[in-house]
Amino acid sequence: MDSLPLDVSHPAVRDYLSLVRLQVLTPLSLLINIATLLVCSVIVNPSAGSIIKSHPTSISPSPSLIAAYIVAIFLGQIGYCILLVVARKPETKRTLVKGVGLSLVFANWLMALWAVTWVLEFFLLSTILLGLLVLCLLYSNIALLTYHPPTSSRPLDMALIHAPLRFFLILPLSLLFSYSLFITLGLYYSPGHPEHYDRFAWPGFGVTFGANLIGLVVILMRCDIVWAVAATWICASIWSARPKPAPVYITVIFFTVLHPLALFGTLIYRRLTKREGSIALPPNEEHDVAAPRGPREVDAEALWGPA
């Protein structure tokens, strides 16, 4: 056969081929990411969790809570991969191809490579990979919100595309990149001297306060449930790993309470303003009475009877 019976230059054909490519590459990258993290967390010694314990900083998280967070990321991506196969709406396919595209594939590869560099204690390379991961996920999230915003008419898109991508972004953006950078810069103390836990407290305060302040602004502006849950989860993972210097501990406890309150307050405010906007104003009776009336047609036969 000399040529394909399809015009591969046609936009619809290109989009179809892009979708097929994503249906293959996205699950493959997810499997590689899961397998790599399992090996680095369970089989390799030192494991990813033991690296956290051997390099305590003022923002060190609880390894078990971070592991649970990563499991939630993987579950969301499994739903995303299922949607890649079963999607039928053109808008959903367009969001998958144009909005996310290969950025999630690259993000899974970057996270797998980060896990390898983390257990090998190549912290500078680990920080660079996490920075690239943040940029990759930030690009895809901005593209989704700008060109394919979530809508209630497509709830599966919100649950299986927007939510997993945003949940994935928040972990390296709010915690992992800063934590790896702290270790790279030597802002950690020896686990054999826990009395030094208050060292580098103010850099930790600045990072946690800045990350949570950004999250709070997003929650208030967008009523973002995913960001509220993820930010609260990360705060809980930080204060649950004791000891912590007072500035960091107070900050994460404060935002653990503030994020849900901000979400509920924004939900109530939007509900009240929506209800007030939907109340119909009563008709202006005075205007109706004063309005001039034109002549009416009279049925002469009904009024005078048949002739």
Side-chain angles (χ1 to χ4, degrees):
M1 186 171 60
D2 295 332
S3 61
L4 290 173
L6 293 173
D7 183 9
V8 293
S9 63
H10 193 278
V13 176
R14 287 205 304 267
D15 289 345
Y16 175 77
L17 295 176
S18 298
L19 181 62
V20 173
R21 183 166 59 244
L22 290 177
Q23 290 172 345
V24 175
L25 294 179
T26 305
L28 179 61
S29 68
L30 177 59
L31 286 175
I32 292 174
N33 194 3
I34 293 174
T36 305
L37 283 174
L38 280 176
V39 170
C40 294
S41 301
V42 178
I43 299 176
V44 175
N45 189 26
S47 64
S50 62
I51 295 294
I52 296 178
K53 295 178 181 178
S54 63
H55 294 79
T57 70
S58 57
I59 59 171
S60 295
S62 167
S64 58
L65 286 179
I66 295 302
Y69 190 107
I70 294 175
V71 169
I73 291 176
F74 290 154
L75 291 176
Q77 287 199 50
I78 291 173
Y80 174 88
C81 292
I82 294 174
L83 186 62
L84 270 174
V85 178
V86 303
R88 292 295 177 265
K89 293 182 178 180
E91 298 84 359
T92 300
K93 293 180 180 180
R94 196 175 302 115
T95 303
L96 293 167
V97 174
K98 303 292 186 180
V100 182
L102 292 173
S103 60
L104 184 57
V105 176
F106 294 145
N108 280 323
W109 277 102
L110 287 170
M111 190 169 186
L113 291 174
W114 163 77
V116 174
T117 59
W118 183 255
V119 297
L120 292 176
E121 300 187 25
F122 296 158
F123 295 120
L124 177 59
L125 186 55
S126 164
T127 306
I128 294 172
L129 289 173
L130 286 172
L132 294 175
L133 177 61
V134 169
L135 292 177
C136 184
L137 292 171
L138 194 62
Y139 168 79
S140 61
N141 277 273
I142 292 175
L144 282 174
L145 292 176
T146 304
Y147 302 107
H148 309 275
T151 173
S152 58
S153 62
R154 300 198 305 275
L156 284 180
D157 290 16
M158 297 174 63
L160 299 179
I161 300 177
H162 291 270
L165 265 293
R166 199 172 308 131
F167 200 73
F168 194 178
L169 166 68
I170 296 168
L171 179 62
L173 177 65
S174 300
L175 178 62
L176 292 184
F177 176 77
S178 302
Y179 179 55
S180 182
L181 183 62
F182 271 38
I183 297 177
T184 303
L185 297 177
L187 304 181
Y188 64 94
Y189 60 93
S190 172
H193 296 280
E195 67 275 8
H196 297 159
Y197 72 92
D198 57 346
R199 287 185 175 181
F200 316 113
W202 292 111
F205 165 78
V207 167
T208 53
F209 183 81
N212 282 284
L213 185 61
I214 293 173
L216 182 63
V217 171
V218 173
I219 294 168
L220 291 174
M221 292 182 63
R222 299 190 52 84
C223 195
D224 198 316
I225 299 175
V226 175
W227 205 295
V229 172
T232 305
W233 195 327
I234 291 174
C235 285
S237 72
I238 294 176
W239 59 253
S240 61
R242 305 289 297 275
K244 282 288 182 297
V248 175
Y249 187 75
I250 294 172
T251 300
V252 291
I253 287 288
F254 174 71
F255 280 104
T256 302
V257 177
L258 187 59
H259 287 316
L261 289 178
L263 176 64
F264 289 130
T266 307
L267 287 172
I268 293 172
Y269 173 76
R270 290 195 175 189
R271 188 177 184 85
L272 292 176
T273 53
K274 184 178 180 180
R275 181 178 299 176
E276 290 176 359
S278 63
I279 296 176
L281 295 175
N284 192 342
E285 296 181 358
E286 295 181 359
H287 178 74
D288 293 342
V289 172
R293 300 192 178 188
R296 292 187 303 170
E297 230 181 88
V298 179
D299 189 348
E301 184 177 350
L303 180 62
W304 299 106

